[in-house]
Amino acid sequence: MQKDIQVSAVQFCPFLNDSMDKNMEFILTTMAEEAKKGADLVVFPETSITNFFTHGQGGYRHLMEEASISVDGDEIQQIIEAAKTHNQYVVVGFNEKSSVPGVIYNSCALIGPEGVAGVSRKQNFPGIEKLYYTTGPKLETFECALGKIGIIICYDVLFPEIARHHFRNAADVIVFSSSFWVGGSKGGTGDPLTKRQLWKALPLVTAVQNQAFVVSANGGGTMDFGVGTGVWERMGLSQIASPAEGVLAECDHSEEVILRATLKKDALSEARSNYHFFSELQPKGMFEPN
């Protein structure tokens, strides 16, 4: 990380995948508006371009043929052009068509003026997500003009080994791109109060343990997953956290909002000089390439 970075975490409710053009319009408009405010990095929630699948008969085929996009497709190209125009980086989520017919990833791309800097693919899937997505082939930490950035997608946040992978690659920023659900009668599993406490705590805990900034953009609003599944409510509670300064920005709701903060290079240096996690973590010789 060579300089201070202005970041924006965008919490919103994606339109269903038959209105993907509306999600694209929102993303491109938000990129332009945040560029005027000086944003170097804008982070959107999980599946922000495509939204999720619709569960039920024919759901997988619909996801494969109608509700997934390719990394080299028109949607990603539009975002690349916008990133060039604004000299900006962005993290966007989408259902990704792979080169193998029938294999669909839950993916997030880091996109900048130079194009796609990297694509992170979700590793772990709760509940019915297992019926629709394939585990990504590997974990990577991406290097770009802003520094080293690791992306963690929703449920993967609950697996500390994934954040630790980015720590081992000396990530400056860890992005949470999520659609974390409330739970209980409002969709998903778990007690709503416990999940709320957990989701509010995770960004700061991850930032401190892994000596990196955390930019958490979680979805808001609700989604009808279809027959037998019903309407689920997203948790919201997006947050930006610093390993040395604590919580820089947060919201306490699931409505549409944009959080903004400055990630200070000096704060990263302070965190890494106060506690020598890099040299103290066992085993030695941990710094291996991706």
Side-chain angles (χ1 to χ4, degrees), residues 20-67:
M20 208 180 299
D21 56 329
K22 294 181 180 179
N23 291 328
M24 284 297 301
E25 181 182 0
F26 177 84
I27 289 167
L28 295 172
T29 300
T30 301
M31 288 176 66
E33 291 174 349
E34 292 308 294
K36 293 175 184 177
K37 295 178 171 63
D40 301 301
L41 173 65
V42 183
V43 178
F44 292 91
E46 180 182 19
T47 65
S48 44
I49 297 176
T50 59
N51 212 326
F52 284 96
F53 50 84
T54 299
H55 187 55
Q57 187 174 3
Y60 191 89
R61 184 163 185 173
H62 178 266
L63 178 67
M64 183 173 63
E65 296 179 351
E66 306 293 335

Side-chain angles (χ1 to χ4, degrees), residues 157-180:
V157 172
L158 302 183
F159 294 78
E161 300 85 357
I162 295 178
R164 215 51 167 174
H165 170 88
H166 296 308
F167 170 80
R168 290 174 183 272
N169 283 298
D172 303 307
V173 181
I174 294 175
V175 167
F176 292 178
S177 180
S178 307
S179 188
F180 204 68

Side-chain angles (χ1 to χ4, degrees), residues 19-159:
S19 299
M20 208 180 299
D21 56 329
K22 294 181 180 179
N23 291 328
M24 284 297 301
E25 181 182 0
F26 177 84
I27 289 167
L28 295 172
T29 300
T30 301
M31 288 176 66
E33 291 174 349
E34 292 308 294
K36 293 175 184 177
K37 295 178 171 63
D40 301 301
L41 173 65
V42 183
V43 178
F44 292 91
E46 180 182 19
T47 65
S48 44
I49 297 176
T50 59
N51 212 326
F52 284 96
F53 50 84
T54 299
H55 187 55
Q57 187 174 3
Y60 191 89
R61 184 163 185 173
H62 178 266
L63 178 67
M64 183 173 63
E65 296 179 351
E66 306 293 335
S68 299
I69 63 174
S70 301
V71 173
D72 58 358
D74 181 63
E75 296 84 1
I76 299 298
Q77 189 58 46
Q78 289 183 57
I79 295 172
I80 291 172
E81 293 303 318
K84 290 179 181 176
T85 298
H86 306 310
N87 191 31
Q88 185 183 72
Y89 285 85
V90 59
V91 173
V92 288
F94 54 100
N95 305 319
E96 181 193 351
K97 290 181 181 177
S98 76
S99 59
V100 179
V103 172
I104 303 166
Y105 298 119
N106 181 323
S107 301
C108 280
L110 172 64
I111 298 169
E114 73 274 29
V116 177
V119 179
S120 182
R121 298 171 176 102
K122 196 168 179 177
Q123 300 292 302
N124 302 284
F125 301 100
I128 60 172
E129 285 189 37
K130 295 181 179 73
L131 303 178
Y132 291 89
Y133 297 117
T134 297
T135 295
K138 62 179 178 178
L139 290 172
E140 295 183 82
T141 307
F142 310 117
E143 191 159 7
C144 66
L146 300 181
K148 292 185 176 182
I149 297 178
I151 301 172
I152 308 179
I153 304 173
C154 200
Y155 190 55
D156 282 348
V157 172
L158 302 183
F159 294 78

